[in-house]
């Protein structure tokens, strides 16, 4: 008589672990706040062992950075002009930061990185650099100007999250776009 049991070892298939852990990370951060969203609580919400999480991400910060990369996905750099590309980038990052758990996770890991050089390097190399390089290429701008653009936009959005616990409303995002675009003009006042 042939056995009807599967030859697959017990446990969750590896390919789905990231998605499950990332979803649990964002929901846990959204429900409990960044500080109370421990790896233990995230693992429990994901239905996986704490060791499963730590095998893939050695720290909470590394987990959060990869979770943010997954949540943000590729930058949609829409438009044909520099102004359109910058405007769509600002609106895109504001929208992503407004998603449940994403802004809280971003603000929390950003805050932790201030006093954690290793996390700061992960945040810079894994999260900021890929988007910076995309923007540099799309805008034809040097690194220092693109970094300034990122600092102003993301800094403003994270400051709002930190001060109010809420993402920026659309009218304020519109105002941010209007304030930032002239900085990247040719001096005529027109993007």
């Amino acid at each position: 008589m042939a056995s009807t049991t599967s030859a697959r070892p017990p446990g969750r298939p590896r390919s789905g672990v990231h998605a499950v852990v990332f979803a649990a990370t964002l929901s846990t951060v959204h429900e409990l706040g960044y500080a109370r969203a421990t790896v233990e609580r995230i693992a429990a919400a994901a239905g996986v062992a704490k060791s499963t999480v730590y095998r893939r991400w050695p720290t909470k910060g590394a987990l959060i950075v990869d979770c943010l990369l997954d949540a943000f996905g590729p930058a949609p750099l829409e438009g044909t002009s520099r102004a359109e590309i910058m405007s769509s980038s600002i609106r895109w990052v504001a929208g992503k930061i407004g998603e449940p758990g994403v802004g809280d996770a971003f603000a929390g890991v950003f805050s932790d990185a201030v006093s954690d050089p290793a996390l700061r390097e992960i945040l810079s190399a894994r999260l900021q650099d890929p988007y910076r390089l995309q923007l540099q290429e799309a805008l034809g701008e040097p690194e220092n100007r693109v970094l300034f653009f990122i600092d102003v936009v993301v800094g403003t959005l994270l400051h709002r999250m930190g001060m109010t616990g809420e993402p920026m409303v659309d009218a304020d995002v519109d105002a941010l776009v209007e304030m930032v675009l002239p900085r990247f003009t040719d001096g005529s006042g027109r993007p």
Side-chain angles (χ1 to χ4, degrees):
M1 194 159 150
S3 171
T4 58
T5 61
S6 170
R8 188 181 70 75
R12 188 179 303 278
R14 284 182 182 252
S15 62
V17 170
H18 286 128
V20 170
V21 171
F22 292 160
T25 299
L26 292 179
S27 67
T28 303
V29 168
H30 182 66
E31 292 169 17
L32 303 176
Y34 179 83
R36 293 182 46 217
T38 62
V39 170
E40 292 78 10
R41 287 179 169 149
I42 291 167
V48 300
K50 180 173 60 171
S51 60
T52 298
V53 175
Y54 279 122
R55 263 194 308 276
R56 288 161 177 81
W57 301 280
T59 64
K60 176 181 168 181
L63 168 60
I64 295 293
V65 169
D66 279 359
C67 181
L68 290 171
L69 279 167
D70 181 71
F72 277 86
L77 304 182
E78 297 169 356
T80 55
S81 72
R82 290 161 29 106
E84 289 171 342
I85 292 168
M86 287 186 287
S87 177
S88 70
S89 296
I90 293 168
R91 293 177 196 292
W92 167 72
V93 76
K96 289 295 182 177
I97 287 175
E99 291 178 5
V102 174
D104 296 330
F106 199 169
V109 76
F110 183 80
S111 177
D112 280 357
V114 169
S115 60
D116 183 341
L119 178 55
R120 194 166 46 246
E121 177 58 32
I122 291 169
L123 193 59
S124 176
R126 294 194 35 79
L127 187 62
Q128 178 176 267
D129 284 354
Y131 295 115
R132 176 187 53 80
L133 291 170
Q134 283 182 299
L135 281 168
Q136 277 180 246
E137 185 176 323
L139 298 173
E141 290 282 353
E143 180 178 355
N144 66 324
R145 288 197 24 110
V146 173
L147 283 173
F148 179 69
F149 175 73
I150 291 169
D151 289 346
V152 169
V153 172
V154 175
T156 300
L157 294 167
L158 291 180
H159 182 268
R160 175 64 59 91
M161 280 295 298
M163 298 309 291
T164 68
E166 297 291 328
M168 225 179 239
V169 297
D170 289 343
D172 290 343
V173 173
D174 292 341
L176 179 61
V177 169
E178 290 174 21
M179 289 172 52
V180 170
L181 290 186
R183 176 65 176 100
F184 288 86
T185 65
D186 61 3
S188 68
R190 294 182 188 165

